[in-house]
Amino acid sequence: NLQMQQCFPTIASPCITVYSKTFQNPMLKKRDDFEDVLEERRNSSDLRYALRCYTPVLYKGVPPCKSSMLKSMVLQSDQLHYVISQVSKETGRKTDEVQEEASAILDEMAHCQQLSTVRFFAFTLSKVFKSLFRSICVNEEGIQRLQQAIQEHPVVLLPSHRSYMDFLLMSYLLYTYDLTLPVIAAGMDFMGMKFVGEMLRMSGAFFIRRSFGGDKLYWAVFSEYVKTMLKNGFAPVEFFLEGTRSRTSKSLTPKLGLLNIAMDPFLKGEVFDVSVVPVSISYERILEETLYARELLGIPKPKESTSGLFKARKVLSEDYGSIHVYFGQPVSVRSLAEGRVNRRQFNLVPRHIPGKPGEDIHSFVNDSAYKLVRAQEENMVLKPWVLLASLLLQNQAAGPKEGLPLDELTAQAVWLRDLSRQYGAFLHWPDQMTPSEVVSSSLSLHRGLVRICEGKVQLAVEQGLAATPEEKLLNQAVIVLSCASYRNQALHVFLRPALLASAIHTASSTQKQEVFNSFSFLRNMFSNEFILCPGATVQDFEEASYLLVKTGAVQVSQQEVVVTEGGHRTLAFLIAMLDPFLQGYQVVCRFLCEEATETLTEKQFIPAVRKFIIKHLLAGGLRYAEVLSSDLQKNSLAAFLRLGAVQKIKGYVGFDHLECLVGPPSRAQNTTL
């Protein structure tokens, strides 16, 4: 309430114009123009392209570093020598033995870039991309900004991660534009692919284990390897801030390990600055769409293998539409840290002695990570199908599965197009085509997910014999989750207004205080689900209020937030966008209260809650097949743990267990999951 009293005068009706300036500029900013890099590839020789003279501009003229020299620099670093000495003392092993282990780790990890392999990939990927995609569009101004950044400071590339294609696409584009190829952090999974793993290494990939938190030596080798690349500016370092591919097309909570390492040389004064470049990669159709949906339903991910790669070649006959790649404004770590971090603290300890970052550093890196993911989101290019998928999912959940008449779907899509543009969406809607042509083209591209019957459009259920109602439900869920992954691409546009719309709907009155309390609760609940910057509740409320006022959906006064007569349609759409997530959290909470009467490990939790949800879906007690998503279930459990509704305890057998604190205190003491 004190925070409300201090901050809320800025959102009162008379002051709307004051804070509208804050949000108008980002929403109406000029977007860069795009160039289709495949156009030239279709009209010239791929072999000539692959074998052309490749002379990228380097950081301050630093010549490329040979693999052997880079390894030598890492192994001779003061920090690694210190850690080797510490590990030797702690384990009682000889220093030479630990040194050999460090060298072996580095051999397993390090990249070994060879231009001949890069040229092979350039030729092969040209053929593959021309077969798969209609166009690959890149903002040339972003490329020019990146070229300038590479010459001035060490560069970190942070692409969004929605497909296996992402890191191949990034290297392909940098080669196309004659830029220094990045050194890319890749998972050890790819090392298991015969020939392919080594070819990826020779094109710039370095391989890291999925988890090594307790291994001091591995962490030291890894961090020193990355920092050596950055401090010397040998090549841009590329990694995925989200850590892994998003199976839902929502941005994932950023992982801070690599970002901490990348910022460390600046924080310790070893470089003047580091430029971080967020890159947004938007697919009109994702190669792995049904694979992701099956993973979310509990079907294990196929192991990466060379044979699997060859089996997947049938996708080359499919049409996957267009890709838009937006290279964002380089972000200066020096500018981010100004007024936030006192770098003099690093003068108190020798730089080669590793230490755990302080709370101020952790907070700074965490806030920076959220800002960078938000920058990725804002530059995602949305295709018309994203809007169509949103409308079709809402229609399916509303009642009988008869579908939407095609002309009605088109009219709704035009309304939603205009609304999303007002909210600042980066929307690629071909204005040279009529709305009906745009809708028909999108439906044709995604014909595996929709069908048109007697002029009505509805989601398609997978073909095949479903022996049981449960199998039929799961087949339907594959389609629903695939469509939801496209709708999720637009969630960052509608999220804050949707939270406010839901808050207005659930608040006990129209009083601004009550609405804010409801908004704050929902935002806190969903902070594991969506990218919501820590400590920005009031700012998000202001932004949501501005957008709803701007589009005439609500009126905001000093005391009230009131829905206008013409605002019900907008609010109904926004509430429906958030409703599947609300129902998912509700059903998990219900499971915890009603069914979790026996001990469950976290590993057992997902299958148990899935079984509970399937039962209620088949009984008609739930409307959304989306609640079967394991991602939604994990996020809801994480939220309940964070909010103290569920507690994690250690069992005597060494497994993590969960204690349910939902319900009366007497029951909470005895009920475990």
Side-chain angles (χ1 to χ4, degrees), residues 466-486:
T468 65
E470 182 176 327
E471 289 178 352
K472 185 177 180 181
L473 172 65
L474 293 175
N475 286 341
Q476 180 187 358
V478 169
I479 301 298
V480 170
L481 289 173
S482 297
C483 286
S485 71
Y486 291 100

Side-chain angles (χ1 to χ4, degrees), residues 14-197:
C15 300
I16 287 289
T17 54
V18 175
Y19 71 81
S20 70
K21 293 177 184 177
T22 304
F23 301 110
Q24 268 185 336
N25 290 338
M27 301 302 176
L28 300 177
K29 68 181 179 183
K30 177 188 176 295
R31 304 287 189 177
D32 296 351
D33 294 327
F34 284 91
E35 177 195 38
D36 177 15
V37 298
L38 289 187
E39 186 176 350
E40 184 180 351
R41 297 278 54 75
R42 297 188 196 282
N43 298 314
S44 60
S45 166
D46 291 328
L47 185 59
R48 188 179 296 117
Y49 157 76
L51 296 178
R52 67 189 174 84
C53 180
Y54 173 63
T55 54
V57 176
L58 303 171
Y59 168 66
K60 295 184 177 179
V62 174
C65 179
K66 292 183 179 180
S67 176
S68 57
M69 184 184 298
L70 178 62
K71 290 180 182 178
S72 177
M73 292 172 71
V74 173
L75 291 172
Q76 292 174 15
S77 69
D78 291 338
Q79 178 175 325
L80 189 56
H81 280 174
Y82 177 84
V83 173
I84 287 172
S85 174
Q86 291 297 107
V87 171
S88 176
K89 290 176 183 176
E90 291 172 7
T91 61
R93 297 161 62 193
K94 293 181 180 179
T95 303
D96 290 347
E97 186 181 336
V98 180
Q99 178 86 22
E100 286 179 14
E101 184 183 347
S103 181
I105 291 171
L106 192 56
D107 288 338
E108 175 190 73
M109 178 187 301
H111 77 288
C112 182
Q113 201 168 78
Q114 294 184 7
L115 187 57
S116 58
T117 305
V118 171
R119 294 189 187 282
F120 171 79
F121 270 117
F123 176 79
T124 305
L125 290 176
S126 285
K127 299 293 186 187
V128 171
F129 288 157
K130 285 190 293 185
S131 177
L132 288 174
F133 304 110
R134 299 174 186 177
S135 61
I136 298 177
C137 301
V138 183
N139 63 324
E140 285 195 298
E141 290 179 42
I143 291 292
Q144 292 166 9
R145 292 191 294 262
L146 175 60
Q147 184 179 43
Q148 185 67 29
I150 287 174
Q151 295 177 66
E152 295 176 350
H153 303 293
V155 167
V156 175
L157 292 169
L158 296 181
S160 57
H161 200 16
R162 304 292 180 269
S163 171
Y164 273 132
M165 281 289 180
D166 294 329
F167 68 91
L168 295 172
L169 185 61
M170 286 288 293
S171 295
Y172 179 80
L173 291 176
L174 267 61
Y175 179 81
T176 299
Y177 285 102
D178 213 29
L179 295 176
T180 308
L181 290 179
V183 175
I184 309 158
M188 289 297 295
D189 307 349
F190 294 100
M191 277 294 293
M193 301 175 69
K194 291 181 180 178
F195 308 115
V196 175

Side-chain angles (χ1 to χ4, degrees), residues 13 24 50 57 62 155 181 189 193 204 207 230 306 314 320 325 357 369 451 469 582 593 599 621 635 637:
S13 185
Q24 268 185 336
V57 176
V62 174
V155 167
L181 290 179
D189 307 349
M193 301 175 69
F207 298 96
L230 281 172
T306 306
K314 62 181 180 181
Y320 287 90
V325 183
R451 61 166 174 248
L582 278 168
C593 293
T599 299
N635 288 339
L637 180 60

Side-chain angles (χ1 to χ4, degrees), residues 44 298 314 341 396 398 465 482 505 511 526 635:
S44 60
K314 62 181 180 181
V341 177
Q396 190 203 43
L465 297 176
S482 297
H505 182 67
Q511 291 296 303
F526 286 129
N635 288 339

Side-chain angles (χ1 to χ4, degrees), residues 7 42 47 96 102 115 135 146 177 188 214 269 273 278 305 363 374 383 387 403 427 476 494 529 553 572 650 672:
C7 302
R42 297 188 196 282
L47 185 59
D96 290 347
L115 187 57
S135 61
L146 175 60
Y177 285 102
M188 289 297 295
D273 200 359
S305 65
S363 177
R374 282 295 309 274
K383 313 298 167 59
L387 307 183
L427 184 65
Q476 180 187 358
F494 298 109
E529 193 73 47
K650 289 282 185 180
T672 58

Side-chain angles (χ1 to χ4, degrees), residues 388-407:
L388 297 176
S390 304
L391 294 167
L392 290 169
L393 285 168
Q394 291 191 14
N395 178 72
Q396 190 203 43
K401 312 299 187 290
E402 295 179 358
L404 270 173
L406 185 55
D407 55 350

Side-chain angles (χ1 to χ4, degrees), residues 427-528:
L427 184 65
H428 178 70
W429 183 288
D431 291 322
Q432 71 277 14
M433 298 169 63
T434 65
S436 59
E437 289 173 336
V438 172
V439 170
S440 295
S441 175
S442 292
L443 294 176
S444 175
L445 182 65
H446 297 276
R447 57 187 174 272
L449 301 179
V450 291
R451 61 166 174 248
I452 303 175
C453 184
E454 298 178 354
K456 292 184 177 180
V457 185
Q458 62 186 130
L459 300 185
V461 177
E462 277 198 335
Q463 300 300 314
L465 297 176
T468 65
E470 182 176 327
E471 289 178 352
K472 185 177 180 181
L473 172 65
L474 293 175
N475 286 341
Q476 180 187 358
V478 169
I479 301 298
V480 170
L481 289 173
S482 297
C483 286
S485 71
Y486 291 100
R487 181 222 42 218
N488 290 346
Q489 293 179 22
L491 279 174
H492 68 278
V493 175
F494 298 109
L495 175 59
R496 286 151 189 83
L499 286 170
L500 182 52
S502 298
I504 293 169
H505 182 67
T506 57
S508 58
S509 72
T510 59
Q511 291 296 303
K512 187 185 293 183
Q513 178 72 60
E514 291 293 333
V515 173
F516 178 80
N517 290 343
S518 183
F519 176 90
S520 181
F521 170 77
L522 288 171
R523 186 188 183 282
N524 190 21
M525 175 68 72
F526 286 129
S527 59
N528 291 89

